[in-house]
Every structure is written in structure tokens, then in C-alpha cells.
Amino acid sequence: MAETSPVLGFEVVGAEAVPYSASPTVAFALRIETDRPVRSVSLNAQIRIAPARRTYDADSKERLVELFGTPERWGETLRGFVWANATLLAPPFSASTVAQMPVACTYDLEVASAKYFNALADGEVPLEFLFSGTVFYAGDGGLLRTAHISWESEAAFRMPVQVWKEAMEASFPGSAWLRVRKDVFDRLVAYKAKRALPTWEAAVEELLGGRE
């Protein structure tokens, strides 16, 4: 009789901002279930945002125009896209365990995921987790065996928008990042120095004040 490998199941049961990380990070609590004891699980996860699985208010629709176009086009443009790739290594367990999967976040608003999160005031973000990797287990005679985890293993989770906002606030309290071309930055540096302005905020506010 052929030896069978463990059958695994996955469920995301929670998410929270990591308060003291070096960069903005969200930790997902992942429940892994097995029908037989395992030595460890080396897991990869592709995390996708499924924007069509929630509704949007007028303010969010306006903010999402840059990402998806005007709302009348959303039937064609509101497609899922990759947010992040993450990994974890689960220690030995039987029946089930809950492991933490950290996911680094970016506040670069040129990145699609950051544009999307920043556009939402509240509610939840529909996420899809696609898993792959390797499970290690004891085979016949106690020998260490391995088995591949197929990409067909998946889980869905609705992450509160507030979790992402808390991760940003933990690393960049009251701040936002703006990326500009190097030549534009050099002009800003020269303007700030010439006007003897103490901060970048002062330089931008003075420039905006002259235009508004």
C-alpha cells in the first residue's frame, strides 16, 4: 500500500499591525490543520487583493480613479492584483496549529496596493491567499519524508482597513511619503535652502500657498 502524505488545510483567522517592527508590518494568524503529525511546514503565500468583492462610497471611488479608472469602467478594470508574497516556517504539530505570517507593507503611493489601501476610509479589504511549499513528516519506519503543497491550497480573509492604517501609523505617525524625480528633488532642496525654510513641510506649504 502506497504511503500517503499529510493532508493540510489553511484558514486565516486574524490580522494585526506589528507595533515595534523596523518597517510597517501586518501579521496574519494562519491556522494550519493536518490529518497526521508533521515535523514542520515550509510555506509560501501569494496574497492578492480582490477589489470586486466589496462596495465603495463616493469618496473612495474618486480616490480609486487613478488605479481603476472611472466607475463606469469598473466592470472591466476592477480586477484582482498581487499585494505581497510571504513565507513562514511552522514547527512540529499534530491536528492543528496557529502560526504568524508577517507581511511587510509599503507607503510608496506609486505602488498599486498602497494606492488601494490609502483610498479606503474604512471597511474591509478582501484578500486571497494562495499557498505552496513543503511539508515534512515521518514516513514508514520513522524516516523523514517531504511532500509538495500545491498552489491549489488557498484561503480567503477580509482584513479591516484599520489594520493597514495602524501599521503605517506605527512606523510613520502622522506622515505620508511622496516620491519625486531626482531633478525635482534637487530643485526643492535649492528652494528650501534659498528661503531658509526649516522643514520640507514649510517648503511645500509655501509653494502651495503661492498657487492656491
Side-chain angles (χ1 to χ4, degrees):
M1 182 176 179
E3 182 178 289
T4 59
S5 60
V7 176
L8 302 181
F10 303 95
E11 180 185 13
V12 182
V13 295
E16 62 180 3
V18 179
Y20 302 112
S21 59
S23 61
T25 302
V26 172
F28 290 94
L30 177 65
R31 183 189 302 278
I32 309 173
E33 298 182 344
T34 179
D35 63 344
R36 58 183 292 182
V38 302
R39 295 284 183 84
S40 65
V41 177
S42 177
L43 196 65
N44 304 310
Q46 182 185 94
I47 307 172
R48 298 179 57 85
I49 296 172
R53 295 184 179 178
R54 62 158 285 165
T55 58
Y56 302 90
D57 59 23
D59 289 341
S60 295
K61 288 180 180 179
E62 184 175 344
R63 291 186 175 192
L64 288 169
V65 166
E66 184 180 0
L67 197 58
F68 300 120
T70 53
E72 59 267 22
R73 297 180 53 213
W74 283 13
E76 300 176 357
T77 62
L78 206 65
R79 304 301 186 203
F81 58 95
V82 175
W83 171 24
N85 291 285
T87 62
L88 71 78
L89 183 64
F93 67 94
S94 299
S96 69
T97 188
V98 176
Q100 297 296 313
M101 175 177 283
V103 175
C105 305
T106 178
Y107 208 171
D108 183 349
L109 295 181
E110 296 298 316
V111 177
S113 60
K115 287 182 181 179
Y116 181 79
F117 290 130
N118 189 62
L120 305 179
D122 52 26
E124 297 173 330
V125 178
L127 299 177
E128 299 171 341
F129 290 73
L130 306 178
F131 300 107
S132 68
T134 304
V135 56
F136 300 83
Y137 64 99
D140 294 341
L143 297 177
L144 183 64
R145 303 291 189 188
T146 65
H148 178 67
I149 300 171
S150 169
W151 276 112
E152 295 178 356
S153 302
E154 59 184 49
F157 181 70
R158 301 184 71 86
M159 181 185 76
V161 174
Q162 188 61 29
V163 171
W164 182 84
K165 295 182 182 297
E166 289 173 359
M168 294 300 108
E169 188 66 16
S171 294
F172 309 121
S175 303
W177 290 93
L178 178 65
R179 184 170 62 179
V180 298
R181 294 196 320 268
K182 182 62 167 59
D183 62 310
V184 174
F185 177 73
D186 290 341
R187 290 169 61 193
L188 282 171
V189 171
Y191 181 88
K192 179 173 176 288
K194 182 178 180 180
R195 307 286 290 185
L197 298 169
T199 64
W200 292 114
E201 286 85 355
V204 173
E205 285 178 355
E206 183 170 299
L207 286 167
L208 289 173
R211 295 289 185 180
E212 292 177 339

